[in-house]
Amino acid sequence: MDAQENPVVSRAAAPPDLEPAARRIVALLGRVDDGGLDGPTPCPDYAVRELLGHLAGLATAFRDAARKDLGASTAVSPDAALPVLDDDWREALPRRLDEMAAAWRSPDAWTGMTRAGGVELPGEAAGAVALNELVVHGWDLARSTGQPYAAGEAELRSCEALLAPAAAGGPDGGADADGADAADGSDGGLFGVPVPVPDGAPLLDRVIALSGRRPDWRPGR
């Protein structure tokens, strides 16, 4: 499948900027206290500490995918093992998110082939997956820690374009020809079976539902 036929590839003249989504996560981190690290998240197998560990891992992996630095960080499936949160995460995670966003500002990141989560895929598809990871897991972190969350319409449209074809593939989530689902773990990992939402639901709720989460999720519900 070439890039023009790939449903996860944005047809916008310029690729999306990942910095707003990355900076929203950084802003959320300041209100995550150590006592809440064992709290639940919308990812059933993850407490807050594992969610933060996953964010750190994906920031490194997609930074390196953008740079075409295809080493160990891009070779491992995201659901291979529970993420481990490093002790210096308060300093390291913001830095990694900034580096990831900066790497995807290079036009070269969006061209050619790269690898993420052990899956070879076009740079444009990897960038779409990277943005989706930031938006959805930013929402996860906000809900888990009782903070508000909003995302830009262009970001949400990109996520919707990524998730909707997989959602139409059936109860297992489907998989596009370039393996984007495997790269983000949605083939049985963090992104699961879509949940229904009312007609006219906000775009953010629709995206979150497509990722297999209940938009009304709260700790204890």
Side-chain angles (χ1 to χ4, degrees), residues 79-91:
D79 56 354
L82 281 178
V84 176
L85 184 62
D86 294 333
D87 291 339
D88 65 345
W89 66 271
R90 292 191 183 276
E91 295 76 31

Side-chain angles (χ1 to χ4, degrees), residues 33-109:
D33 59 60
D34 291 346
L37 291 177
D38 292 321
T41 77
C43 307
D45 296 330
Y46 280 12
V48 172
R49 70 172 65 252
E50 282 84 34
L51 176 59
L52 293 172
H54 178 68
L55 282 165
L58 75 86
T60 301
F62 281 101
R63 177 201 66 193
D64 293 346
R67 295 173 177 175
K68 310 297 195 294
D69 182 8
L70 307 183
S73 67
T74 66
V76 180
S77 170
D79 56 354
L82 281 178
V84 176
L85 184 62
D86 294 333
D87 291 339
D88 65 345
W89 66 271
R90 292 191 183 276
E91 295 76 31
L93 180 50
R95 182 177 67 252
R96 293 188 193 184
L97 289 166
D98 287 346
E99 290 171 350
M100 174 185 174
W104 285 101
R105 283 198 293 272
S106 169
D108 291 343

